[in-house]
């Protein structure tokens, strides 16, 4: 791997909160962008501002997966996994180091949603139990909660937001004391906006009140340093494909020692997560492996290990400076364009930039961005019923730069949106 950091001694973060008004990146946070882009095969082909969807794979990640697939083709799948057992174990060590956990507390999952639903299945919900969450949660999580309500008569309570955006922690504390929820759940960064929720503040309350706490860190792992001890969560889920720049079809679940000691286990546990000790009894394994299945996509697991290792070598503190700062500059400049309404609100904003634009329908507008070689994503009202209802919008475009993107690419994206905002009112394909 190339030398990536211009001056690593200057990149330590004393505070994770980013200045949302910053429109430039300070010299102290500069990485060796040329080297990072040379390590990113797709960087020269597209302006990839869809890292909240999938980050571009780094060369070591791609190499790890291709190498293992070639080994499987040469000697067989079972034999290849046995030969790479030590490297597979590195997935747990690298992922644990990324979130300040321990390898035995990490379970591989096919996605963040897979991890989230597996964690939910381990909670023995009963009629009348309360799930306390926020109004800015991931769509699949909300659907899962509603499904639990439908099947088990669980009550779903949403904490209100503060006027400037983001959950009202004081109100959430009052709801915790009032309802004594069976589960408190929060999404660190929702997929539909740049909001960063105060998950550590919520975690402190959960610890004080001895409440089970589940955090969705799908958009924050790989974008910010994550410390499960500081957050105070019992369970944390994430994907590897987004800001961590791992392969699709991968994610992980963190399970705290407290949850493991309490005997939580997934509803459908298989021969990897448990031992069939006698005809009428099984025994779950002691680690988070009880949340895994026997069949593994080993090439993908090795790619995830490489992605976590790569992020740590680049430096999560450096990434946490540059990535949100790129987004802040983009957000500020888009807000100055006529016909463009930036939608992100909150005390802290991350690298997801969302906006509405006059005179366009969603698919034609994204197609126009695609035609300019700019990758982006659409979000719709049904992705975020509360947030988009409050903002009175039916759709928005989401742009999400990452540390390997350049200031010149920000210029290119702003110029494209400016051109389309002017042309939008008169175009036939709007």
């Amino acid at each position: 791997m190339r030398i990536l950091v211009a001056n690593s001694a200057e990149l330590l973060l004393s505070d994770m909160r980013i200045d949302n008004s910053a429109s430039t990146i300070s010299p102290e946070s500069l990485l060796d962008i040329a080297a990072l882009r040379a390590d990113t095969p797709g960087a020269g082909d597209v302006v990839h501002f869809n890292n909240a969807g999938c980050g571009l794979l780094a060369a070591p990640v791609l190499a790890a997966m291709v190498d293992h697939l070639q080994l499987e083709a040469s000697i067989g799948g079972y034999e290849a996994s046995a030969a790479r057992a030590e490297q597979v174990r590195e997935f747990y060590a690298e992922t644990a180091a990324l979130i300040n956990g321990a390898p035995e507390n990490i379970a591989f999952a096919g996605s963040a949603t897979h991890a989230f639903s597996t964690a939910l299945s381990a909670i023995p919900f009963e009629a009348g139990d309360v799930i306390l969450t926020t109004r800015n949660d991931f769509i699949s999580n909300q659907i899962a909660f509603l499904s639990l309500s439908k099947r088990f008569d669980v009550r779903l309570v949403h904490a209100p937001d503060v006027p400037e955006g983001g959950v009202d922690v004081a109100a959430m504390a009052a709801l915790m004391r009032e309802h004594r929820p069976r589960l408190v759940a929060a999404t660190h960064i929702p997929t539909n906006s740049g909001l960063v929720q105060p998950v550590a503040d919520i975690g402190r309350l959960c610890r004080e009140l001895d409440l089970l706490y589940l955090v969705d860190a799908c958009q924050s792992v790989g974008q910010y340093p994550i410390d499960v001890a500081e957050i105070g969560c019992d369970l944390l889920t994430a994907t590897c494909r987004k800001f961590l720049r791992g392969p699709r079809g991968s994610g992980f679940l963190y399970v705290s020692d407290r949850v493991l000691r309490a005997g939580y286990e997934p509803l459908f546990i298989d021969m990897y997560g448990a031992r069939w000790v006698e005809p009428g009894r099984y025994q779950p394994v002691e680690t988070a492996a009880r949340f895994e299945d026997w069949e593994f996509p080993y090439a993908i697991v090795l790619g995830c290990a490489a992605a976590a290792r790569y992020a740590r070598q680049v430096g999560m503190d450096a990434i946490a400076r540059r990535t949100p700062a790129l987004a802040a500059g983009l957000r500020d400049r888009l807000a100055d364009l006529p016909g463009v309404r930036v939608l992100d609100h909150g005390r802290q904003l991350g690298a997801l930039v969302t906006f509405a634009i006059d005179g366009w329908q969603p698919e034609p507008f994204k197609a126009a961005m695609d035609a300019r070689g700019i990758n982006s994503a659409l979000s719709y009202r049904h992705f975020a019923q509360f947030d988009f209802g409050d903002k009175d919008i039916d759709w928005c475009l989401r742009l999400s730069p990452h540390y390997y993107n350049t200031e010149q690419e920000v210029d290119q994206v702003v110029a494209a949106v400016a051109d389309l905002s002017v042309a939008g009112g008169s175009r036939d394909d709007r």
Side-chain angles (χ1 to χ4, degrees), residues 160-180:
D161 288 341
V162 293
E164 61 266 41
V167 67
D168 185 330
V169 177
M172 198 168 195
L175 290 169
M176 289 180 190
R177 295 185 175 93
E178 176 185 353
H179 295 288
R180 298 298 303 182

Side-chain angles (χ1 to χ4, degrees), residues 81-166:
S81 63
R84 294 282 168 78
E86 183 175 348
Q87 290 93 327
V88 170
R89 283 193 292 271
E90 290 178 8
F91 164 77
Y92 302 94
E94 292 290 347
T95 304
L98 193 68
I99 63 170
N100 192 30
E104 59 268 22
N105 297 107
I106 303 296
F108 176 81
S111 67
T113 299
H114 175 211
F116 199 90
S117 60
T118 302
L120 284 179
S121 80
I123 303 170
F125 289 107
E126 297 179 356
D129 283 347
V130 169
I131 297 174
L132 175 61
T133 185
T134 75
R135 291 167 55 87
N136 286 279
D137 203 357
F138 181 53
I139 173 177
S140 293
N141 302 349
Q142 289 290 309
I143 291 173
F145 297 153
L146 292 170
S147 176
L148 287 169
S149 177
K150 180 179 179 181
R151 179 166 295 194
F152 297 111
D153 198 24
V154 171
R155 289 199 298 138
L156 185 56
V157 176
H158 294 89
D161 288 341
V162 293
E164 61 266 41

Side-chain angles (χ1 to χ4, degrees), residues 23-48:
S23 59
T24 59
I25 301 168
S26 63
E28 291 80 11
S29 66
L30 291 177
L31 299 168
D32 187 344
I33 304 304
L36 288 164
R37 291 176 68 80
D39 259 350
T40 305
D45 299 326
V46 294
V47 177
H48 189 71

Side-chain angles (χ1 to χ4, degrees), residues 328-343 353-356 414 417:
L330 174 64
R331 189 178 290 116
D332 287 348
R333 294 176 64 187
L334 290 175
D336 290 335
L337 298 179
V340 172
R341 175 187 168 200
V342 172
L343 302 169
V353 179
T354 60
F355 65 94
V414 172
V417 176

Side-chain angles (χ1 to χ4, degrees), residues 133-404:
T133 185
T134 75
R135 291 167 55 87
N136 286 279
D137 203 357
F138 181 53
I139 173 177
S140 293
N141 302 349
Q142 289 290 309
I143 291 173
F145 297 153
L146 292 170
S147 176
L148 287 169
S149 177
K150 180 179 179 181
R151 179 166 295 194
F152 297 111
D153 198 24
V154 171
R155 289 199 298 138
L156 185 56
V157 176
H158 294 89
D161 288 341
V162 293
E164 61 266 41
V167 67
D168 185 330
V169 177
M172 198 168 195
L175 290 169
M176 289 180 190
R177 295 185 175 93
E178 176 185 353
H179 295 288
R180 298 298 303 182
R182 185 70 182 83
L183 175 69
V184 177
T187 296
H188 195 185
I189 300 177
T191 188
N192 52 280
S193 79
L195 174 67
V196 181
Q197 295 275 45
V199 290
D201 294 342
I202 298 169
R204 281 189 286 274
L205 293 168
C206 289
R207 289 196 300 272
E208 290 172 9
L209 298 171
D210 193 28
L211 298 174
L212 190 68
Y213 185 31
L214 168 60
V215 171
D216 179 340
C218 191
Q219 294 287 5
S220 53
V221 167
Q223 181 181 167
Y224 287 113
I226 301 297
D227 186 331
V228 290
E230 180 184 352
I231 293 172
C233 54
D234 297 290
L235 301 154
L236 181 139
T237 62
T239 187
C240 299
R241 77 175 192 270
K242 297 181 184 288
F243 289 96
L244 194 56
R245 303 179 62 192
R248 295 198 69 174
S250 63
F252 65 87
L253 168 66
Y254 161 79
V255 186
S256 70
D257 288 334
R258 183 172 89 134
V259 167
L260 292 173
R261 287 194 301 267
Y264 286 80
E265 61 185 61
L267 179 59
F268 298 107
I269 191 168
D270 86 345
M271 60 185 284
Y272 189 79
R275 303 295 175 260
W276 195 14
V277 294
E278 57 186 62
R281 186 172 67 89
Y282 69 88
Q283 180 66 45
V285 299
E286 294 183 356
T287 69
R290 71 180 65 164
F291 289 86
E292 295 179 329
D293 296 327
W294 184 85
E295 179 54 28
F296 260 36
Y298 284 94
I300 287 178
V301 173
L302 291 168
C304 292
R309 185 182 305 114
Y310 191 88
R312 294 179 60 235
Q313 288 172 334
V314 173
M316 284 310 310
D317 290 332
I319 293 170
R321 282 186 184 271
R322 179 173 175 83
T323 296
L326 274 172
L330 174 64
R331 189 178 290 116
D332 287 348
R333 294 176 64 187
L334 290 175
D336 290 335
L337 298 179
V340 172
R341 175 187 168 200
V342 172
L343 302 169
D344 306 316
H345 302 297
R347 293 172 178 170
Q348 184 185 1
L349 299 177
L352 284 68
V353 179
T354 60
F355 65 94
I357 185 167
D358 294 340
W360 286 90
Q361 292 300 314
E363 289 81 7
F365 182 68
K366 185 181 183 305
M369 295 289 282
D370 292 344
R372 287 162 170 77
I374 298 169
N375 290 351
S376 61
L378 292 167
S379 286
Y380 298 91
R381 183 179 284 237
H382 70 270
F383 290 8
Q385 290 284 359
F386 294 119
D387 184 45
F388 280 22
D390 292 343
K391 294 170 179 174
D392 193 26
I393 58 167
D394 292 322
W395 68 277
C396 73
L397 194 81
R398 185 187 69 192
L399 297 169
S400 47
H402 207 1
Y403 60 88
Y404 58 81

